[in-house]
Amino acid sequence: MKLLICTQKVDKNDGVLGFFHNWIIEFTKHCEKVVVICLFQGEYDFPKNVEVLSLGKENGESRLKYIFRFYKYIWKYRKEYDNVFVHMNSEYVILGGIFWKFLNKKIYLWYVHKSKNIYLRIVNIFVKNIFTSSKESCLIKSKKIIFLGHGVDLNIFRKINIEKDKNLYKLLYVGRISPIKNLDILIEVFNILKKDSLINNLSLTIVGDVVYESDRGYLNNIKKKINDYKLNNYISFLGNIPIDKMSDIYNNHDLSINLSPTGGMDKTVLESFVCGVPCIVFNKAFKDVFGEYGDVFILDNLDTKELSTKIYNIYRNSNLEDTKRLLDLIQKDYNLSQLITNISNKINL
């Protein structure tokens, strides 16, 4: 199989999209040739059968030049690929759909998002299949949708037997900083736990940053709230961390919190469990993953009392057998190698 992959960014050091670097490596195991078109090109390390073509955002090129280069590349390399795999960015399908249909190239889209928009309906006309993680992560109705779960790179994320500080219980948040992530509620709960002395020695590490400048005000409000609560000595911001450093981050914490609403399955939740660190979620999409353990880790409501109670219960039962069982399940059913194999098999039919 010769495959064209279209994605937003190729940069193994990027704190948000660096994970896709290893997706491409996994695809090379199933392909004779991989051509990658990306909007932004950073640092990468691929096998010889990969060719990376940038639209030029790293050089500050104009949107008009992006589009010109995109059409130039998909025409110039038309004999170098048989099928097209688009990661998340439906704009690529809208721009290239008619062209690829004319050349008899099958188009496949990976899409995980809770929004339902007109662009996705247009994309559905052109694609052979839409791959997604769960029924909550692609909300249009289409027979072309295939549910595949998520994929955690087990070469990066793994449980490490380290001796943790028994006198400090460390909470972790991983993700972009945005109102939809409800980080402000976590700060309120942290303050409740400290004020009521439910957990005497408690800390919170926040990994991530704003992606959109429109969220900068939200981050400033979060920091103001931390200052008002006098929590500066207990809460730290690490910003974006390269993916190859994240396993150490998870393993050095006791519990992670993810308050994203129901929608696409957030892979940071799976990464946390694979590293042996339980994670409390608000996203109901994880009901199928957690199964009988859902009551322990899934919030019914975005409520400060319920969240503080769940944190306290897990703290009191730090050797939860539930965590180990979920770790084993996720390693088996939600690993990156298996996910890319499943996608490649569908593309190669």
Side-chain angles (χ1 to χ4, degrees):
M1 179 170 64
K2 292 185 288 185
L3 185 66
L4 171 65
I5 297 176
C6 298
T7 189
Q8 182 177 345
K9 181 179 284 192
V10 172
D11 184 357
K12 67 179 184 179
N13 297 318
D14 186 83
V16 177
L17 297 171
F19 72 90
F20 195 70
H21 181 274
N22 287 358
W23 279 49
I24 295 170
I25 290 176
E26 286 296 326
F27 272 116
T28 65
K29 299 174 183 178
H30 304 271
C31 299
E32 173 190 345
K33 169 87 174 181
V34 175
V35 178
V36 182
I37 294 177
C38 59
L39 185 61
F40 181 103
Q41 176 185 310
E43 187 177 348
Y44 59 85
D45 184 17
F46 294 137
K48 293 180 179 180
N49 61 334
V50 179
E51 186 165 359
V52 179
L53 308 168
S54 175
L55 301 182
K57 187 173 183 179
E58 70 275 9
N59 299 319
E61 302 285 10
S62 68
R63 183 164 296 187
L64 191 61
K65 284 189 177 180
Y66 299 161
I67 296 172
F68 173 79
R69 282 181 178 160
F70 175 71
Y71 284 117
K72 173 186 173 183
Y73 290 151
I74 63 175
W75 170 254
K76 180 179 178 180
Y77 289 86
R78 66 193 183 278
K79 295 181 180 178
E80 299 295 317
Y81 62 91
D82 305 311
N83 298 308
V84 182
F85 176 77
V86 176
H87 180 255
M88 289 298 294
N89 297 90
S90 55
E91 294 87 346
Y92 286 122
V93 181
I94 293 171
L95 288 172
I98 294 176
F99 177 85
W100 287 323
K101 282 285 189 180
F102 176 75
L103 290 179
N104 199 30
K105 311 285 188 184
K106 292 178 183 177
I107 310 165
Y108 300 85
L109 173 69
W110 172 269
Y111 188 85
V112 176
H113 203 283
K114 71 183 188 67
S115 67
K116 179 169 59 176
N117 55 53
I118 186 64
Y119 299 111
L120 198 55
R121 297 188 185 281
I122 296 171
V123 164
N124 190 55
I125 297 171
F126 294 107
V127 298
K128 172 71 173 175
N129 288 118
I130 298 174
F131 303 123
T132 192
S133 60
S134 66
K135 61 180 181 295
E136 294 86 359
S137 56
C138 188
L139 297 180
I140 65 166
K141 292 183 179 180
S142 172
K143 294 181 179 178
K144 296 179 178 180
I145 296 175
I146 299 176
F147 304 112
L148 292 176
H150 244 313
V152 178
D153 191 337
L154 301 183
N155 293 317
I156 294 177
F157 297 98
R158 60 195 179 278
K159 189 178 187 313
I160 303 170
N161 292 320
I162 60 173
E163 188 172 343
K164 296 181 181 179
D165 186 349
K166 295 180 181 179
N167 297 315
L168 180 63
Y169 195 71
K170 301 169 74 174
L171 304 181
L172 175 66
Y173 166 84
V174 179
R176 66 185 173 92
I177 297 177
S178 172
I180 199 171
K181 301 296 186 177
N182 295 305
L183 186 55
D184 54 312
I185 293 175
L186 177 55
I187 301 302
E188 290 179 22
V189 169
F190 187 90
N191 184 53
I192 291 170
L193 292 169
K194 290 291 293 182
K195 186 173 64 175
D196 294 348
S197 298
L198 292 175
I199 304 175
N200 290 325
N201 294 305
L202 186 66
S203 71
L204 170 62
T205 304
I206 297 171
V207 176
D209 205 342
V210 295
V211 174
Y212 309 108
E213 280 305 310
S214 58
D215 292 332
R216 184 69 60 183
Y218 179 74
L219 172 59
N220 292 335
N221 289 337
I222 291 291
K223 290 184 175 180
K224 183 180 183 302
K225 181 173 286 193
I226 292 171
N227 187 62
D228 291 344
Y229 287 153
K230 296 181 172 54
L231 297 173
N232 290 294
N233 292 332
Y234 309 102
I235 300 176
S236 58
F237 289 83
L238 298 188
N240 289 325
I241 301 293
I243 190 171
D244 60 346
K245 308 293 184 186
M246 281 305 302
S247 186
D248 289 339
I249 297 289
Y250 283 116
N251 276 277
N252 275 290
H253 288 80
D254 299 289
L255 174 66
S256 63
I257 314 291
N258 187 298
L259 301 181
S260 297
T262 298
M265 226 186 283
D266 193 331
K267 69 181 186 313
T268 61
V269 175
L270 304 175
E271 291 167 357
S272 184
F273 273 103
V274 165
C275 292
V277 178
C279 184
I280 294 174
V281 304
F282 179 51
N283 188 343
K284 305 300 189 295
F286 282 97
K287 282 188 173 181
D288 290 340
V289 180
F290 292 176
E292 62 184 289
Y293 309 113
D295 291 342
V296 178
F297 301 112
I298 301 176
L299 294 165
D300 291 322
N301 301 289
L302 202 56
D303 176 80
T304 55
K305 183 177 180 180
E306 184 184 356
L307 177 55
S308 59
T309 299
K310 274 194 173 359
I311 292 174
Y312 181 71
N313 287 341
I314 293 175
Y315 163 72
R316 290 293 302 273
N317 299 278
S318 57
N319 294 319
L320 278 172
E321 185 64 22
D322 304 343
T323 303
K324 184 182 184 305
R325 290 177 181 174
L326 280 174
L327 184 157
D328 294 339
L329 182 149
I330 291 167
Q331 283 185 332
K332 176 178 177 292
D333 295 338
Y334 294 89
N335 68 78
L336 180 61
S337 178
Q338 186 61 53
L339 175 65
I340 302 304
T341 295
N342 291 340
I343 291 173
S344 298
N345 289 341
K346 295 293 184 183
I347 292 176
N348 207 24
L349 286 176

